[in-house]
Amino acid sequence: MSSIKLYYYPASGPARIALMAARLVGVPLQIEIVDLMKREQFSEAYLKINPQHCVPTLDDDGFILSESRAIACYLADKYGTDDSIYPKDIKKRAIVNQRMYFDCSTLLVKMRAICHPIIFNIENEIKENLRDDFNASLSVLDKYLENNEWVAGEHVTIADTTIFASMSGIFAAGWDLSYFPNIQRWLKNCSNLPGYEEIKEGAKIYGDLVKKNLKQ
């Protein structure tokens, strides 16, 4: 198998989603750093690859794909050898997809509403309504985990790597998870997954950016 290129920036949650999915599937990657802080995503060369000028982008022997969850699904479908990671069974797959959509349409949106104004120095504190809104969605995630070891059932899937990588930045910023025992247990399970340490390094960068601008 020839090496697949992943255009990546460690502080980017979506980029970490694609990376951790690849690690779970076991597919080799050639990592190409696109430094968002230096605006390398707007370079002429990168815009030819991805006109949306975002990370991640996958280049699999000339097949170009962006959007982290699409990349995760593609890698699992093409290179996965364990059907449980992204099940072929239509109902089991639907649950995995639903969990990933829940992340991108709800968890990620609410996390960004909190973190991005702080990272970009617009705010220096977390508004109570945003905190409550995000915690309400974490309560849903905690409920999904109430009778399951993993977010989509009994087996680890790309839904787990997606939600973990996506939320790892705000967790690294020190979000209070004391009300979410099932999430705490799940995070311990995630620490044994392939790529965990790489994801943790990128999440720390994101978390530190948040903590730096928070009013003490």
Side-chain angles (χ1 to χ4, degrees), residues 64-121:
I64 306 297
L65 185 65
S66 60
E67 296 296 338
S68 57
R69 294 158 192 81
I71 291 170
C73 294
Y74 169 78
L75 291 175
D77 270 336
K78 183 172 182 181
Y79 296 107
T81 57
D82 183 348
D83 180 62
S84 67
I85 288 174
Y86 193 38
K88 297 291 191 293
D89 179 276
I90 191 168
K91 291 182 179 177
K92 291 180 179 178
R93 177 169 286 213
I95 295 297
V96 173
N97 289 339
Q98 184 272 328
R99 301 299 196 252
M100 292 193 292
Y101 298 155
F102 172 67
D103 174 57
C104 70
S105 65
T106 302
L107 289 173
L108 180 63
V109 171
K110 294 178 181 182
M111 183 194 80
R112 284 180 168 172
I114 292 167
C115 295
H116 282 199
I118 295 169
I119 288 173
F120 296 109
N121 222 10

Side-chain angles (χ1 to χ4, degrees), residues 11-214:
S12 163
R16 295 196 300 273
I17 288 172
L19 177 65
M20 199 169 189
R23 299 302 188 225
L24 183 66
V25 172
V27 64
L29 290 179
Q30 176 185 335
I31 302 292
E32 300 283 344
I33 297 294
V34 179
D35 192 328
L36 303 184
M37 296 299 106
K38 295 179 180 177
R39 298 178 66 80
E40 290 178 355
Q41 70 272 33
F42 295 105
S43 70
E44 185 177 348
Y46 191 67
L47 286 172
K48 285 181 180 178
I49 299 167
N50 183 350
Q52 198 179 352
H53 55 75
C54 60
V55 291
T57 303
L58 190 79
D59 180 351
D60 185 3
D61 195 25
F63 174 68
I64 306 297
L65 185 65
S66 60
E67 296 296 338
S68 57
R69 294 158 192 81
I71 291 170
C73 294
Y74 169 78
L75 291 175
D77 270 336
K78 183 172 182 181
Y79 296 107
T81 57
D82 183 348
D83 180 62
S84 67
I85 288 174
Y86 193 38
K88 297 291 191 293
D89 179 276
I90 191 168
K91 291 182 179 177
K92 291 180 179 178
R93 177 169 286 213
I95 295 297
V96 173
N97 289 339
Q98 184 272 328
R99 301 299 196 252
M100 292 193 292
Y101 298 155
F102 172 67
D103 174 57
C104 70
S105 65
T106 302
L107 289 173
L108 180 63
V109 171
K110 294 178 181 182
M111 183 194 80
R112 284 180 168 172
I114 292 167
C115 295
H116 282 199
I118 295 169
I119 288 173
F120 296 109
N121 222 10
I122 299 166
E123 301 283 352
N124 63 3
E125 59 185 358
I126 299 171
K127 289 184 166 57
E128 186 175 355
N129 66 311
L130 297 180
R131 185 188 302 275
D132 292 344
D133 202 23
F134 184 57
N135 278 337
S137 295
L138 289 180
S139 294
V140 175
L141 178 61
D142 199 70
K143 190 72 174 176
Y144 288 152
L145 288 159
E146 189 171 57
N147 298 310
N148 297 302
E149 188 168 358
W150 300 98
V151 298
E154 298 176 1
H155 302 284
V156 62
T157 68
I158 55 172
D160 294 286
T161 53
T162 292
I163 294 177
F164 172 71
S166 182
M167 294 295 104
S168 57
I170 196 166
F171 293 163
W175 196 265
D176 181 8
L177 294 173
S178 59
Y179 296 102
F180 310 110
N182 299 316
I183 293 177
Q184 292 181 61
R185 169 184 51 78
W186 171 72
L187 287 173
K188 289 179 182 176
N189 291 339
C190 289
S191 69
N192 296 312
L193 294 178
Y196 174 81
E197 292 300 330
E198 289 172 284
I199 299 307
K200 193 175 175 182
E201 288 175 12
K204 184 178 184 304
I205 296 170
Y206 186 94
D208 286 348
L209 287 171
V210 174
K211 289 190 287 187
K212 182 183 72 170
N213 289 336
L214 272 176

